[in-house]
Amino acid sequence: MPVRDSYDAVIVGGGHNGLVAAAYLARAGQSVLVLERLGTTGGAAVSTRPFAGVDARLSRYSYLVSLLPSKIVRDLGLDFAVRKRTVSSYTPAVRDGRPTGLLVAGDRTRDSFAALTGSDREYEAWQRFYGRTGQVAERVFPTLTEPLPTRDALRQRIDDPDAWRMLFEEPIGVSVENTFDDDLVRGVVLTDALIGTFADAHDASLLQNRCFLYHVIGGGTGDWDVPVGGMGALTDALAGAARAAGAQIRTGHEAVRVDTDGTHAEVIVRTDSGETAVGARRVLVNASPEALAALLGDEPPTPAEGAQLKVNMLLTRLPRLKDRSVDPRQAFAGTFHIAEGYGQLADAYRDAAAGRLPAAPPSEIYCHSLTDPSILGADLAARGYQTLTLFGLHTPARLFAADHDSTRATLLEATLAELDAHLEEPLTDCLALDANGEPCIEAKTPLDLERDLRLPGGHIFHRDLAFPYATPETGRWGVETAHPNVLMCGAGAVRGGGVSGVPGHNAAMAALGR
């Protein structure tokens, strides 16, 4: 057990946000203890070797970085870097019976739009649309590490009534349909509103708008970058920074209850040796709102539900494409969209909302190792092996409740079939084999994520995202709870979700009274 029985701050959960908070507080001179249930820190932001006897270190759950402010990297002196992807996206299609596609990649983008759609109109609309979201990103992203602005203050900061209406007041589907004509282009735009979010383009709740906003503001540019060394390189750097500042980190230590009178707290901790209590002036919880309520004995929040399939693969080579105008190394270097036309996304949502797997499951893929070969052992890299990460949409947890394993297998088969439709060879022909002769592929459903990581309902954001402005319930930093000395520092905080470190930073600032 810990060498002290009382701390300035006890942090429940050693995911990346908990480690950010620990590093900030310890650097401010506070005594800090981090309690992590699992045997390693990192939570969902980890790198592992998932295939037996194979030297490939994959970002197993979360895999790209956009929302992590450079401020946090600088403040904490992290030895961590990201690399830009040379290709934004590729989306295969069939037009007039021939294979083609849309490649968004620097100088080739305009010509690709023209070849797909027959004119420059969609490209010019694309430029205007993302020019506008880019201006929003520049103005909104810096606010994520400041006290929450009011809704009016954020609107004034954006200073663009049309952008405000598009993002904050009307369903994003309205703007997509008014701006673009081509179904495939519309679908590529809409995907940013649906990653990890089960919603329709015209959902009146604007849940899809909130998801879209977080996907286009990262870093003030909206770029999604590749973490060098994998996502585990980030959490390893964070754990090192926290320890260097004096924080104590205890893995295999599960917090099971928090008792507080508002000024002093006691955390009941369970280990293989039994239970004990640790005192704290303040407790920061890097876990879901459901877990927070359970620790405190409070009323649980509305249940969350995730809606994604996560697949990790190792290939002996990238598959050949039917669209010969694009090299596979280009197509898979960015986000490779599959069955994500606008109509296809709507059909998939309707299928899932009706309680059945989508007939054409939408998903997107990217190849980490093309941008960062360091995640592969030297022998694999020399032989041309590559990783693929697939993220499937519109597969809510409820679909797996009756027969989980069979449903997962059916969905994986259908998802790969949608990809195979655009390949000259089946993807399974390219899969590497592990030390046991088994194909190097693993699939995780929302229920798998709930079991492995305690993500409620498998929801990768812990709960539905919120707009990044204050409401009567949010508090000053968006991390406050009903208990004055208990703060939330996980993805379920306002301005949470994604691998950002923002909730960890903001909880630390709240704890320090800044």
Side-chain angles (χ1 to χ4, degrees):
M1 271 304 292
V3 297
R4 301 173 58 108
D5 24 312
S6 186
Y7 295 80
D8 292 321
V10 169
I11 298 175
V12 176
H16 81 282
N17 278 307
L19 296 172
V20 167
Y24 272 107
L25 292 176
R27 286 166 68 95
Q30 297 208 351
S31 57
V32 179
L33 172 67
V34 179
L35 301 170
E36 169 53 48
R37 171 180 63 91
L38 299 176
T40 59
T41 56
V46 293
S47 297
T48 59
R49 292 176 173 83
F51 306 121
V54 178
D55 189 13
R57 195 164 183 259
L58 279 63
S59 297
R60 196 170 198 178
Y61 301 107
S62 55
Y63 47 94
L64 290 173
V65 175
S66 177
L67 291 163
L68 174 67
S70 57
K71 173 188 188 319
I72 292 177
V73 177
R74 291 193 307 270
D75 286 352
L76 301 182
L78 301 182
D79 182 14
F80 172 72
V82 295
R83 287 183 185 157
K84 298 290 182 186
R85 298 187 292 174
T86 58
V87 175
S88 177
S89 69
Y90 170 73
T91 309
V94 177
R95 294 284 167 93
D96 300 323
R98 65 178 182 84
T100 183
L102 178 63
L103 179 68
V104 181
D107 295 342
R108 297 190 60 182
T109 305
R110 179 187 284 272
D111 290 343
S112 186
F113 267 91
L116 180 75
T117 67
S119 76
D120 285 337
R121 184 203 175 280
E122 294 291 85
Y123 173 75
E124 291 167 356
W126 178 280
Q127 292 293 94
R128 290 192 301 272
F129 184 87
Y130 284 107
R132 169 160 278 159
T133 64
Q135 290 180 344
V136 171
E138 290 176 359
R139 296 166 187 176
V140 172
F141 189 70
T143 71
L144 298 190
T145 49
E146 300 171 357
L148 276 166
T150 65
R151 179 183 171 95
D152 285 344
L154 188 63
R155 182 171 60 229
Q156 291 170 13
R157 186 158 184 163
I158 290 173
D159 193 27
D160 183 339
D162 290 336
W164 180 266
R165 183 184 67 253
M166 175 181 85
L167 295 172
F168 293 86
E169 293 184 346
E170 67 185 15
I172 192 68
V174 173
S175 181
V176 172
E177 292 173 16
N178 287 342
T179 304
F180 304 101
D181 293 329
D182 189 88
D183 180 86
L184 192 73
V185 176
R186 287 178 172 181
V188 172
V189 175
L190 183 63
T191 55
D192 278 335
L194 304 178
I195 298 295
T197 296
F198 187 54
D200 180 71
H202 291 276
D203 197 309
S205 72
L206 304 188
L207 175 58
Q208 73 281 22
N209 288 47
R210 290 172 255 160
C211 182
F212 184 85
L213 182 70
Y214 282 92
H215 276 92
V216 299
I217 64 172
T221 64
D223 292 341
W224 286 78
D225 300 328
V226 176
V228 176
M231 198 62 80
L234 171 62
T235 44
D236 289 348
L238 286 169
R243 288 191 176 100
Q248 298 179 33
I249 300 175
R250 297 290 181 265
T251 57
H253 285 61
E254 181 181 7
V256 294
R257 194 174 81 244
V258 174
D259 297 323
T260 178
D261 61 7
T263 57
H264 182 269
E266 191 172 76
V267 183
I268 308 304
V269 184
R270 180 180 297 153
T271 68
D272 290 342
S273 301
E275 291 187 359
T276 189
V278 179
R281 290 177 49 232
R282 188 173 287 105
V283 178
L284 284 69
V285 179
N286 179 29
S288 69
E290 289 187 13
L292 172 65
L295 286 169
L296 293 164
D298 290 346
E299 187 73 20
T302 302
E305 181 183 37
Q308 68 287 317
L309 176 74
K310 176 72 191 296
V311 184
N312 291 313
M313 295 171 270
L314 180 68
L315 310 184
T316 58
R317 67 184 184 281
L318 291 175
R320 298 184 299 274
L321 304 177
K322 291 181 178 178
D323 178 7
R324 295 295 187 88
S325 70
V326 179
D327 187 294
R329 292 179 67 87
Q330 280 189 312
F332 287 102
T335 300
F336 190 117
H337 297 279
I338 307 161
E340 289 191 331
Y342 196 70
Q344 290 175 305
L345 289 168
D347 289 344
Y349 176 78
R350 281 192 291 269
D351 282 347
R356 55 182 180 268
L357 289 175
S363 63
E364 41 202 57
I365 293 178
Y366 101 107
C367 178
H368 186 131
S369 52
L370 283 172
T371 305
D372 174 28
S374 72
I375 65 170
L376 296 175
D379 178 62
L380 296 182
R383 292 161 63 189
Y385 280 51
Q386 302 288 355
T387 64
L388 283 187
T389 293
L390 181 148
F391 194 97
L393 281 63
H394 288 337
T395 54
R398 70 191 81 156
L399 300 182
F400 302 90
D403 188 351
H404 177 264
D405 290 355
S406 176
T407 304
R408 178 178 56 196
T410 299
L411 175 61
L412 178 60
E413 181 179 7
T415 299
L416 296 184
E418 290 299 318
L419 171 60
D420 283 349
H422 300 285
L423 305 179
E424 283 198 342
E425 55 185 331
L427 183 72
T428 51
D429 286 359
C430 303
L431 286 174
L433 301 179
D434 68 13
N436 301 317
E438 296 296 324
C440 291
I441 182 169
E442 66 165 9
K444 300 283 187 180
T445 71
L447 297 188
D448 288 320
L449 297 182
E450 183 173 53
R451 181 198 65 232
D452 294 349
L453 301 173
R454 294 191 179 173
L455 299 179
H459 200 307
I460 61 172
F461 305 138
H462 289 190
R463 62 177 171 186
D464 292 342
L465 295 167
F467 282 124
Y469 52 67
T471 69
E473 296 79 29
T474 57
R476 176 173 169 79
W477 284 96
V479 298
E480 293 82 355
T481 73
H483 307 272
N485 65 337
V486 178
L487 301 170
M488 178 179 292
C489 67
V494 179
R495 304 180 293 188
V499 177
S500 70
V502 168
H505 168 277
N506 292 347
M509 297 304 105
L512 295 170
R514 297 183 182 173

